[in-house]
Amino acid sequence: MTRIANLALVRPDDNLPTIRRHVERLDLVRYAGASDDYVHLHWDLPRVQAEGFPDVLIHGWLTFSWMCRTVSAWAPREIAEPLEYSVRYLLPMFPGIVDCGGEVTFVETVAERRIVHLAIWAKDGEGNVSTRGTMRLGAVQGN
Amino acid sequence: MGPTDEDMAEIVARLRSSLGLRGKAMVKPIEKGALLKFCAAVGETEPLHLDETYAQSRGYRGLVAPPTYLSVFSEACGEVLCRDIPFTRFLHTDDAITAHVPICAGDIITATPLLADVFAKRSSRGTLLFQAADIALTNQHGELAASLRVTTAFHE
């Protein structure tokens, strides 16, 4: 895994390493408990199947968490802090393969602070982009 | 039969008359144990989120909340989203966070929701009625620590 040492080294079009996860229903139950999110779509299999879904849906915020992890696995939190981050959920995601990655879209220096803009995404096992996001990272003071 | 375009325009106008309205605030302490449990659930490995001594050595008050931990405040949007509409089903479509001050274990956060936007859009699922809430997260020192925008699309 490539971890960068300093945001000053980052250039537009740099790719973040893609991280693949094999997601199980247990991961969703664990997240439901840790986030106090008990929306039935994420755990009540008979009910979601009756509603026409093939399986329980991955929490949008859990996918977003994995997308953020892709960023911090590349730019460690002690050198880069997320200032603005957002996602749009395009398709429901289900347990199975989830890939998360991203790329640098723009870099700038604002008030002597390095700022890096990223496009981030999550894909299912068939390569469909389920979630798209953006993040603005700022260099942590002293780095 | 779903609502007509005129019905939707009327609903949007009615809901928009409440834009800017604030809902009841939710107060929640940021607990170290809860942060650690959240980190385990999302596979967090960054030491600032897991190692209190390390976080303090880097100048933070305590464990730093992981970026998406703020989702625990998203339910505050329920205080401002209007349910008096012909749709009961909804999709969570967008989340956006602007961070100002790190949120750390030991903080007490007040989450104040506000109805930020209402609009309708046609889609393959029929007409979607979007409602967005802005949730201001203020810490115990009265600083705006972060704001969170949650967007939901109601549909038939």
Side-chain angles (χ1 to χ4, degrees):
Chain A
M1 179 69 58
T2 325
R3 267 168 91 85
I4 58 166
N6 192 314
L7 284 188
L9 305 172
V10 171
R11 297 287 175 268
D13 299 327
D14 282 358
N15 280 306
L16 278 61
T18 298
I19 299 181
R20 170 161 289 191
R21 283 185 177 73
H22 297 270
V23 178
E24 297 176 22
R25 287 182 199 141
L26 175 61
D27 298 316
L28 277 51
V29 173
R30 192 180 287 120
Y31 180 79
S35 65
D36 275 336
D37 181 340
Y38 299 107
V39 172
H40 81 277
L41 292 168
H42 310 302
W43 58 271
D44 191 344
L45 183 60
R47 186 167 162 198
V48 298
Q49 285 178 332
E51 289 170 1
F53 294 108
D55 201 341
V56 288
L57 285 76
I58 298 176
H59 303 76
W61 278 106
L62 179 54
T63 303
F64 192 10
S65 302
W66 292 327
M67 292 162 75
C68 292
R69 286 288 302 124
T70 300
V71 176
S72 56
W74 168 75
R77 175 61 182 80
E78 60 259 41
I79 68 154
E81 70 180 316
L83 303 175
E84 264 184 290
Y85 40 115
S86 63
V87 279
R88 171 157 294 172
Y89 305 109
L90 306 168
L91 296 171
M93 280 203 125
F94 305 101
I97 289 174
V98 174
D99 288 325
C100 296
E103 60 174 19
V104 177
T105 52
F106 184 61
V107 293
E108 60 182 334
T109 302
V110 179
E112 295 179 26
R113 188 185 198 190
R114 195 68 168 165
I115 305 286
V116 171
H117 298 250
L118 304 170
I120 51 178
W121 47 260
K123 293 178 183 173
D124 65 18
E126 277 146 30
N128 302 304
V129 177
S130 76
T131 313
R132 276 192 198 286
T134 60
M135 186 181 280
R136 193 162 61 85
L137 277 178
V140 172
Q141 272 191 341
N143 285 283
Chain B
M1 272 298 284
T4 64
D5 285 355
E6 285 95 58
D7 292 341
M8 281 307 292
E10 200 176 301
I11 293 166
V12 169
R14 173 166 58 86
L15 268 53
R16 286 189 70 86
S17 69
S18 302
L19 288 185
L21 217 72
R22 278 174 211 282
K24 198 176 130 224
M26 165 185 174
V27 179
K28 200 176 163 78
I30 304 298
E31 294 166 352
K32 180 178 162 185
L35 292 183
L36 292 171
K37 194 170 166 184
F38 185 87
C39 286
V42 303
E44 184 58 69
T45 57
E46 289 299 296
L48 281 183
H49 304 309
L50 293 166
D51 181 340
E52 185 174 54
T53 311
Y54 178 73
Q56 288 170 342
S57 78
R58 304 290 299 207
Y60 297 95
R61 288 190 285 270
L63 283 184
V64 179
T68 52
Y69 184 72
L70 307 192
S71 68
V72 301
F73 296 103
S74 60
E75 66 182 270
C77 74
E79 297 290 333
V80 292
L81 300 188
C82 178
R83 299 302 191 126
D84 181 20
I85 52 175
F87 305 144
T88 52
R89 301 179 69 187
F90 61 91
L91 300 160
H92 174 190
T93 63
D94 296 74
D95 289 309
I97 292 172
T98 307
H100 302 290
V101 177
I103 292 179
C104 298
D107 284 358
I108 301 193
I109 299 295
T110 302
T112 312
L114 169 155
L115 186 64
D117 202 4
V118 175
F119 57 97
K121 218 158 136 179
R122 284 180 179 282
S123 83
S124 55
R125 293 170 187 270
T127 304
L128 299 174
L129 176 64
F130 288 84
Q131 297 190 51
D134 275 347
I135 303 168
L137 304 181
T138 312
N139 67 19
Q140 65 277 21
H141 305 299
E143 299 166 312
L144 178 65
S147 46
L148 167 60
R149 175 173 284 208
V150 177
T151 307
T152 302
F154 292 82
H155 63 98
E156 280 183 88

